[in-house]
PDB file of all heavy atoms in Angstrom:
ATOM      1  N   ALA A 235     137.660  73.215 153.762  1.00  0.00           N
ATOM      2  CA  ALA A 235     138.284  72.389 154.685  1.00  0.00           C
ATOM      3  C   ALA A 235     139.620  72.875 155.027  1.00  0.00           C
ATOM      4  O   ALA A 235     140.179  72.469 155.988  1.00  0.00           O
ATOM      5  CB  ALA A 235     138.320  70.838 154.245  1.00  0.00           C
ATOM      6  N   TYR A 236     140.164  73.674 154.162  1.00  0.00           N
ATOM      7  CA  TYR A 236     141.598  74.172 154.329  1.00  0.00           C
ATOM      8  C   TYR A 236     141.655  75.569 155.116  1.00  0.00           C
ATOM      9  O   TYR A 236     142.646  75.919 155.485  1.00  0.00           O
ATOM     10  CB  TYR A 236     142.254  74.339 153.045  1.00  0.00           C
ATOM     11  CG  TYR A 236     142.517  73.074 152.251  1.00  0.00           C
ATOM     12  CD1 TYR A 236     141.448  72.536 151.473  1.00  0.00           C
ATOM     13  CD2 TYR A 236     143.717  72.506 152.345  1.00  0.00           C
ATOM     14  CE1 TYR A 236     141.691  71.323 150.863  1.00  0.00           C
ATOM     15  CE2 TYR A 236     143.977  71.293 151.729  1.00  0.00           C
ATOM     16  CZ  TYR A 236     142.921  70.692 150.809  1.00  0.00           C
ATOM     17  OH  TYR A 236     143.168  69.560 150.154  1.00  0.00           O
ATOM     18  N   HIS A 237     140.517  76.158 155.314  1.00  0.00           N
ATOM     19  CA  HIS A 237     140.431  77.536 155.839  1.00  0.00           C
ATOM     20  C   HIS A 237     140.797  77.476 157.398  1.00  0.00           C
ATOM     21  O   HIS A 237     140.111  76.759 158.222  1.00  0.00           O
ATOM     22  CB  HIS A 237     139.048  78.084 155.716  1.00  0.00           C
ATOM     23  CG  HIS A 237     138.992  79.497 156.258  1.00  0.00           C
ATOM     24  ND1 HIS A 237     138.425  79.939 157.448  1.00  0.00           N
ATOM     25  CD2 HIS A 237     139.520  80.627 155.742  1.00  0.00           C
ATOM     26  CE1 HIS A 237     138.463  81.221 157.547  1.00  0.00           C
ATOM     27  NE2 HIS A 237     139.155  81.647 156.531  1.00  0.00           N
ATOM     28  N   PRO A 238     141.860  78.122 157.770  1.00  0.00           N
ATOM     29  CA  PRO A 238     142.371  77.995 159.252  1.00  0.00           C
ATOM     30  C   PRO A 238     141.378  78.466 160.371  1.00  0.00           C
ATOM     31  O   PRO A 238     141.386  78.138 161.464  1.00  0.00           O
ATOM     32  CB  PRO A 238     143.560  78.978 159.209  1.00  0.00           C
ATOM     33  CG  PRO A 238     144.017  79.125 157.822  1.00  0.00           C
ATOM     34  CD  PRO A 238     142.685  78.968 156.904  1.00  0.00           C
ATOM     35  N   GLY A 239     140.396  79.342 159.827  1.00  0.00           N
ATOM     36  CA  GLY A 239     139.438  79.827 160.772  1.00  0.00           C
ATOM     37  C   GLY A 239     138.221  79.026 160.831  1.00  0.00           C
ATOM     38  O   GLY A 239     137.209  79.339 161.511  1.00  0.00           O
ATOM     39  N   GLY A 240     138.228  77.977 160.154  1.00  0.00           N
ATOM     40  CA  GLY A 240     137.055  77.013 160.164  1.00  0.00           C
ATOM     41  C   GLY A 240     135.963  77.455 159.025  1.00  0.00           C
ATOM     42  O   GLY A 240     136.022  78.531 158.441  1.00  0.00           O
ATOM     43  N   ALA A 241     135.000  76.604 158.739  1.00  0.00           N
ATOM     44  CA  ALA A 241     133.988  76.730 157.782  1.00  0.00           C
ATOM     45  C   ALA A 241     132.931  77.897 158.228  1.00  0.00           C
ATOM     46  O   ALA A 241     132.417  78.529 157.430  1.00  0.00           O
ATOM     47  CB  ALA A 241     133.301  75.528 157.462  1.00  0.00           C
ATOM     48  N   GLU A 242     132.708  77.835 159.472  1.00  0.00           N
ATOM     49  CA  GLU A 242     131.653  78.761 159.923  1.00  0.00           C
ATOM     50  C   GLU A 242     131.713  80.285 159.561  1.00  0.00           C
ATOM     51  O   GLU A 242     130.800  80.867 159.129  1.00  0.00           O
ATOM     52  CB  GLU A 242     131.494  78.543 161.547  1.00  0.00           C
ATOM     53  CG  GLU A 242     131.152  77.331 161.996  1.00  0.00           C
ATOM     54  CD  GLU A 242     132.226  76.272 161.949  1.00  0.00           C
ATOM     55  OE1 GLU A 242     133.415  76.739 162.129  1.00  0.00           O
ATOM     56  OE2 GLU A 242     131.914  75.009 161.861  1.00  0.00           O
ATOM     57  N   ILE A 243     132.998  80.744 159.731  1.00  0.00           N
ATOM     58  CA  ILE A 243     133.119  82.056 159.361  1.00  0.00           C
ATOM     59  C   ILE A 243     133.036  82.438 157.897  1.00  0.00           C
ATOM     60  O   ILE A 243     132.517  83.392 157.478  1.00  0.00           O
ATOM     61  CB  ILE A 243     134.657  82.680 159.815  1.00  0.00           C
ATOM     62  CG1 ILE A 243     134.685  84.228 159.704  1.00  0.00           C
ATOM     63  CG2 ILE A 243     135.741  82.011 159.135  1.00  0.00           C
ATOM     64  CD1 ILE A 243     133.900  84.971 160.871  1.00  0.00           C
ATOM     65  N   LEU A 244     133.329  81.344 157.000  1.00  0.00           N
ATOM     66  CA  LEU A 244     133.294  81.468 155.597  1.00  0.00           C
ATOM     67  C   LEU A 244     131.777  81.497 155.150  1.00  0.00           C
ATOM     68  O   LEU A 244     131.337  82.151 154.194  1.00  0.00           O
ATOM     69  CB  LEU A 244     134.024  80.317 154.945  1.00  0.00           C
ATOM     70  CG  LEU A 244     135.400  80.303 154.856  1.00  0.00           C
ATOM     71  CD1 LEU A 244     136.018  79.112 154.088  1.00  0.00           C
ATOM     72  CD2 LEU A 244     136.045  81.674 154.239  1.00  0.00           C
ATOM     73  N   GLU A 245     130.979  80.713 155.907  1.00  0.00           N
ATOM     74  CA  GLU A 245     129.599  80.589 155.579  1.00  0.00           C
ATOM     75  C   GLU A 245     128.803  81.916 155.499  1.00  0.00           C
ATOM     76  O   GLU A 245     127.887  82.071 154.729  1.00  0.00           O
ATOM     77  CB  GLU A 245     128.796  79.673 156.498  1.00  0.00           C
ATOM     78  CG  GLU A 245     129.195  78.186 156.368  1.00  0.00           C
ATOM     79  CD  GLU A 245     128.610  77.257 157.418  1.00  0.00           C
ATOM     80  OE1 GLU A 245     127.521  77.701 158.014  1.00  0.00           O
ATOM     81  OE2 GLU A 245     129.183  76.207 157.525  1.00  0.00           O
ATOM     82  N   GLU A 246     129.348  82.882 156.208  1.00  0.00           N
ATOM     83  CA  GLU A 246     128.687  84.276 156.228  1.00  0.00           C
ATOM     84  C   GLU A 246     128.800  84.850 154.830  1.00  0.00           C
ATOM     85  O   GLU A 246     128.111  85.815 154.437  1.00  0.00           O
ATOM     86  CB  GLU A 246     129.439  85.210 157.223  1.00  0.00           C
ATOM     87  CG  GLU A 246     129.230  84.769 158.753  1.00  0.00           C
ATOM     88  CD  GLU A 246     129.873  85.679 159.602  1.00  0.00           C
ATOM     89  OE1 GLU A 246     130.006  86.931 159.296  1.00  0.00           O
ATOM     90  OE2 GLU A 246     130.382  85.211 160.638  1.00  0.00           O
ATOM     91  N   SER A 247     129.828  84.486 154.034  1.00  0.00           N
ATOM     92  CA  SER A 247     130.050  85.085 152.795  1.00  0.00           C
ATOM     93  C   SER A 247     129.610  84.396 151.471  1.00  0.00           C
ATOM     94  O   SER A 247     129.762  84.860 150.457  1.00  0.00           O
ATOM     95  CB  SER A 247     131.629  85.466 152.699  1.00  0.00           C
ATOM     96  OG  SER A 247     132.348  84.253 152.771  1.00  0.00           O
ATOM     97  N   PHE A 248     129.186  83.068 151.684  1.00  0.00           N
ATOM     98  CA  PHE A 248     128.845  82.291 150.663  1.00  0.00           C
ATOM     99  C   PHE A 248     127.790  82.982 149.740  1.00  0.00           C
ATOM    100  O   PHE A 248     126.725  83.310 150.189  1.00  0.00           O
ATOM    101  CB  PHE A 248     128.260  80.855 151.031  1.00  0.00           C
ATOM    102  CG  PHE A 248     129.262  80.088 151.587  1.00  0.00           C
ATOM    103  CD1 PHE A 248     128.880  78.768 152.296  1.00  0.00           C
ATOM    104  CD2 PHE A 248     130.657  80.322 151.626  1.00  0.00           C
ATOM    105  CE1 PHE A 248     129.792  77.990 152.929  1.00  0.00           C
ATOM    106  CE2 PHE A 248     131.570  79.563 152.243  1.00  0.00           C
ATOM    107  CZ  PHE A 248     131.122  78.223 152.874  1.00  0.00           C
ATOM    108  N   GLY A 249     127.936  83.066 148.446  1.00  0.00           N
ATOM    109  CA  GLY A 249     127.083  83.590 147.514  1.00  0.00           C
ATOM    110  C   GLY A 249     127.014  85.088 147.419  1.00  0.00           C
ATOM    111  O   GLY A 249     126.173  85.678 146.848  1.00  0.00           O
ATOM    112  N   ARG A 250     128.017  85.749 147.941  1.00  0.00           N
ATOM    113  CA  ARG A 250     128.078  87.101 147.829  1.00  0.00           C
ATOM    114  C   ARG A 250     129.432  87.841 147.908  1.00  0.00           C
ATOM    115  O   ARG A 250     130.449  87.053 148.002  1.00  0.00           O
ATOM    116  CB  ARG A 250     127.247  87.792 149.013  1.00  0.00           C
ATOM    117  CG  ARG A 250     127.763  87.436 150.524  1.00  0.00           C
ATOM    118  CD  ARG A 250     126.818  87.893 151.491  1.00  0.00           C
ATOM    119  NE  ARG A 250     127.323  87.854 152.853  1.00  0.00           N
ATOM    120  CZ  ARG A 250     127.919  88.812 153.509  1.00  0.00           C
ATOM    121  NH1 ARG A 250     128.032  90.113 152.988  1.00  0.00           N
ATOM    122  NH2 ARG A 250     128.444  88.657 154.733  1.00  0.00           N
ATOM    123  N   ASP A 251     129.543  89.109 147.989  1.00  0.00           N
ATOM    124  CA  ASP A 251     130.842  89.739 147.948  1.00  0.00           C
ATOM    125  C   ASP A 251     131.358  89.644 149.357  1.00  0.00           C
ATOM    126  O   ASP A 251     130.731  90.009 150.317  1.00  0.00           O
ATOM    127  CB  ASP A 251     130.730  91.226 147.582  1.00  0.00           C
ATOM    128  CG  ASP A 251     132.069  91.815 147.485  1.00  0.00           C
ATOM    129  OD1 ASP A 251     133.086  91.617 148.243  1.00  0.00           O
ATOM    130  OD2 ASP A 251     132.208  92.796 146.467  1.00  0.00           O
ATOM    131  N   ALA A 252     132.499  89.069 149.556  1.00  0.00           N
ATOM    132  CA  ALA A 252     133.120  88.823 150.867  1.00  0.00           C
ATOM    133  C   ALA A 252     134.294  89.837 151.225  1.00  0.00           C
ATOM    134  O   ALA A 252     134.908  89.515 152.231  1.00  0.00           O
ATOM    135  CB  ALA A 252     133.740  87.371 150.967  1.00  0.00           C
ATOM    136  N   THR A 253     134.543  90.795 150.365  1.00  0.00           N
ATOM    137  CA  THR A 253     135.594  91.663 150.572  1.00  0.00           C
ATOM    138  C   THR A 253     135.638  92.287 152.063  1.00  0.00           C
ATOM    139  O   THR A 253     136.655  92.254 152.713  1.00  0.00           O
ATOM    140  CB  THR A 253     135.637  92.714 149.567  1.00  0.00           C
ATOM    141  OG1 THR A 253     135.657  92.128 148.221  1.00  0.00           O
ATOM    142  CG2 THR A 253     136.952  93.627 149.666  1.00  0.00           C
ATOM    143  N   ALA A 254     134.551  92.876 152.436  1.00  0.00           N
ATOM    144  CA  ALA A 254     134.551  93.565 153.825  1.00  0.00           C
ATOM    145  C   ALA A 254     134.895  92.507 155.026  1.00  0.00           C
ATOM    146  O   ALA A 254     135.656  92.810 155.817  1.00  0.00           O
ATOM    147  CB  ALA A 254     133.127  94.150 154.043  1.00  0.00           C
ATOM    148  N   LEU A 255     134.259  91.309 154.917  1.00  0.00           N
ATOM    149  CA  LEU A 255     134.479  90.267 155.898  1.00  0.00           C
ATOM    150  C   LEU A 255     135.894  89.849 155.717  1.00  0.00           C
ATOM    151  O   LEU A 255     136.584  89.604 156.845  1.00  0.00           O
ATOM    152  CB  LEU A 255     133.537  89.082 155.714  1.00  0.00           C
ATOM    153  CG  LEU A 255     133.506  88.044 156.722  1.00  0.00           C
ATOM    154  CD1 LEU A 255     133.263  88.622 158.171  1.00  0.00           C
ATOM    155  CD2 LEU A 255     132.670  86.844 156.380  1.00  0.00           C
ATOM    156  N   PHE A 256     136.386  89.692 154.601  1.00  0.00           N
ATOM    157  CA  PHE A 256     137.829  89.113 154.550  1.00  0.00           C
ATOM    158  C   PHE A 256     138.773  90.177 155.064  1.00  0.00           C
ATOM    159  O   PHE A 256     139.692  89.965 155.885  1.00  0.00           O
ATOM    160  CB  PHE A 256     138.162  89.054 152.987  1.00  0.00           C
ATOM    161  CG  PHE A 256     139.586  88.608 152.735  1.00  0.00           C
ATOM    162  CD1 PHE A 256     139.859  87.133 152.691  1.00  0.00           C
ATOM    163  CD2 PHE A 256     140.537  89.466 152.533  1.00  0.00           C
ATOM    164  CE1 PHE A 256     141.051  86.801 152.444  1.00  0.00           C
ATOM    165  CE2 PHE A 256     141.891  89.120 152.266  1.00  0.00           C
ATOM    166  CZ  PHE A 256     142.190  87.724 152.201  1.00  0.00           C
ATOM    167  N   ASP A 257     138.588  91.504 154.811  1.00  0.00           N
ATOM    168  CA  ASP A 257     139.401  92.650 155.233  1.00  0.00           C
ATOM    169  C   ASP A 257     139.289  92.794 156.735  1.00  0.00           C
ATOM    170  O   ASP A 257     140.218  93.190 157.500  1.00  0.00           O
ATOM    171  CB  ASP A 257     139.044  94.034 154.483  1.00  0.00           C
ATOM    172  CG  ASP A 257     139.557  93.818 153.163  1.00  0.00           C
ATOM    173  OD1 ASP A 257     140.279  93.016 152.750  1.00  0.00           O
ATOM    174  OD2 ASP A 257     139.128  94.969 152.531  1.00  0.00           O
ATOM    175  N   LYS A 258     138.115  92.457 157.335  1.00  0.00           N
ATOM    176  CA  LYS A 258     137.953  92.584 158.762  1.00  0.00           C
ATOM    177  C   LYS A 258     138.946  91.702 159.554  1.00  0.00           C
ATOM    178  O   LYS A 258     139.498  92.090 160.589  1.00  0.00           O
ATOM    179  CB  LYS A 258     136.525  92.141 159.115  1.00  0.00           C
ATOM    180  CG  LYS A 258     136.170  92.165 160.615  1.00  0.00           C
ATOM    181  CD  LYS A 258     134.721  91.921 160.811  1.00  0.00           C
ATOM    182  CE  LYS A 258     134.352  91.808 162.432  1.00  0.00           C
ATOM    183  NZ  LYS A 258     133.081  91.400 162.545  1.00  0.00           N
ATOM    184  N   TYR A 259     139.176  90.457 159.014  1.00  0.00           N
ATOM    185  CA  TYR A 259     139.954  89.510 159.702  1.00  0.00           C
ATOM    186  C   TYR A 259     141.357  89.391 159.218  1.00  0.00           C
ATOM    187  O   TYR A 259     142.374  89.073 160.088  1.00  0.00           O
ATOM    188  CB  TYR A 259     139.418  88.077 159.601  1.00  0.00           C
ATOM    189  CG  TYR A 259     138.129  87.987 160.562  1.00  0.00           C
ATOM    190  CD1 TYR A 259     136.852  88.201 159.848  1.00  0.00           C
ATOM    191  CD2 TYR A 259     138.183  87.868 161.913  1.00  0.00           C
ATOM    192  CE1 TYR A 259     135.599  88.027 160.613  1.00  0.00           C
ATOM    193  CE2 TYR A 259     136.933  87.932 162.617  1.00  0.00           C
ATOM    194  CZ  TYR A 259     135.752  87.958 162.031  1.00  0.00           C
ATOM    195  OH  TYR A 259     134.553  87.947 162.736  1.00  0.00           O
ATOM    196  N   HIS A 260     141.606  89.661 157.981  1.00  0.00           N
ATOM    197  CA  HIS A 260     143.054  89.454 157.469  1.00  0.00           C
ATOM    198  C   HIS A 260     143.274  90.038 156.128  1.00  0.00           C
ATOM    199  O   HIS A 260     143.485  89.607 155.207  1.00  0.00           O
ATOM    200  CB  HIS A 260     143.500  88.024 157.491  1.00  0.00           C
ATOM    201  CG  HIS A 260     142.393  87.033 157.003  1.00  0.00           C
ATOM    202  ND1 HIS A 260     141.715  86.968 155.756  1.00  0.00           N
ATOM    203  CD2 HIS A 260     142.042  85.841 157.598  1.00  0.00           C
ATOM    204  CE1 HIS A 260     140.997  86.064 155.640  1.00  0.00           C
ATOM    205  NE2 HIS A 260     140.963  85.315 156.765  1.00  0.00           N
ATOM    206  N   LYS A 261     143.236  91.472 156.260  1.00  0.00           N
ATOM    207  CA  LYS A 261     143.433  92.313 155.051  1.00  0.00           C
ATOM    208  C   LYS A 261     144.867  92.028 154.519  1.00  0.00           C
ATOM    209  O   LYS A 261     145.143  92.230 153.348  1.00  0.00           O
ATOM    210  CB  LYS A 261     143.179  93.812 155.374  1.00  0.00           C
ATOM    211  CG  LYS A 261     143.204  94.634 154.063  1.00  0.00           C
ATOM    212  CD  LYS A 261     142.875  96.092 154.446  1.00  0.00           C
ATOM    213  CE  LYS A 261     142.991  96.871 153.254  1.00  0.00           C
ATOM    214  NZ  LYS A 261     142.062  98.074 153.268  1.00  0.00           N
ATOM    215  N   TYR A 262     145.774  91.798 155.370  1.00  0.00           N
ATOM    216  CA  TYR A 262     147.190  91.538 154.988  1.00  0.00           C
ATOM    217  C   TYR A 262     147.317  90.295 154.142  1.00  0.00           C
ATOM    218  O   TYR A 262     148.461  90.155 153.547  1.00  0.00           O
ATOM    219  CB  TYR A 262     148.016  91.469 156.302  1.00  0.00           C
ATOM    220  CG  TYR A 262     147.589  90.506 157.176  1.00  0.00           C
ATOM    221  CD1 TYR A 262     148.166  89.217 157.085  1.00  0.00           C
ATOM    222  CD2 TYR A 262     146.633  90.615 158.180  1.00  0.00           C
ATOM    223  CE1 TYR A 262     147.781  88.123 157.889  1.00  0.00           C
ATOM    224  CE2 TYR A 262     146.248  89.529 159.127  1.00  0.00           C
ATOM    225  CZ  TYR A 262     146.760  88.357 158.791  1.00  0.00           C
ATOM    226  OH  TYR A 262     146.424  87.360 159.719  1.00  0.00           O
ATOM    227  N   VAL A 263     146.443  89.425 154.147  1.00  0.00           N
ATOM    228  CA  VAL A 263     146.541  88.069 153.373  1.00  0.00           C
ATOM    229  C   VAL A 263     146.347  88.365 151.947  1.00  0.00           C
ATOM    230  O   VAL A 263     145.361  88.969 151.563  1.00  0.00           O
ATOM    231  CB  VAL A 263     145.493  87.105 153.915  1.00  0.00           C
ATOM    232  CG1 VAL A 263     145.647  85.757 153.202  1.00  0.00           C
ATOM    233  CG2 VAL A 263     145.955  86.749 155.335  1.00  0.00           C
ATOM    234  N   ASN A 264     147.124  87.745 151.072  1.00  0.00           N
ATOM    235  CA  ASN A 264     146.937  87.854 149.585  1.00  0.00           C
ATOM    236  C   ASN A 264     146.066  86.774 149.086  1.00  0.00           C
ATOM    237  O   ASN A 264     146.266  85.699 148.646  1.00  0.00           O
ATOM    238  CB  ASN A 264     148.303  87.851 148.917  1.00  0.00           C
ATOM    239  CG  ASN A 264     148.179  88.031 147.488  1.00  0.00           C
ATOM    240  OD1 ASN A 264     147.086  88.015 146.839  1.00  0.00           O
ATOM    241  ND2 ASN A 264     149.345  88.296 146.764  1.00  0.00           N
TER     242      ASN A 264
END
Side-chain angles (χ1 to χ4, degrees):
Y236 294 85
H237 186 252
E242 295 78 28
I243 192 76
L244 288 178
E245 290 178 19
E246 295 179 39
S247 61
F248 293 169
R250 63 188 189 97
D251 189 322
T253 304
L255 184 63
F256 181 89
D257 288 349
K258 178 180 177 182
Y259 291 99
H260 36 58
K261 186 174 182 152
Y262 58 89
V263 173
N264 187 342

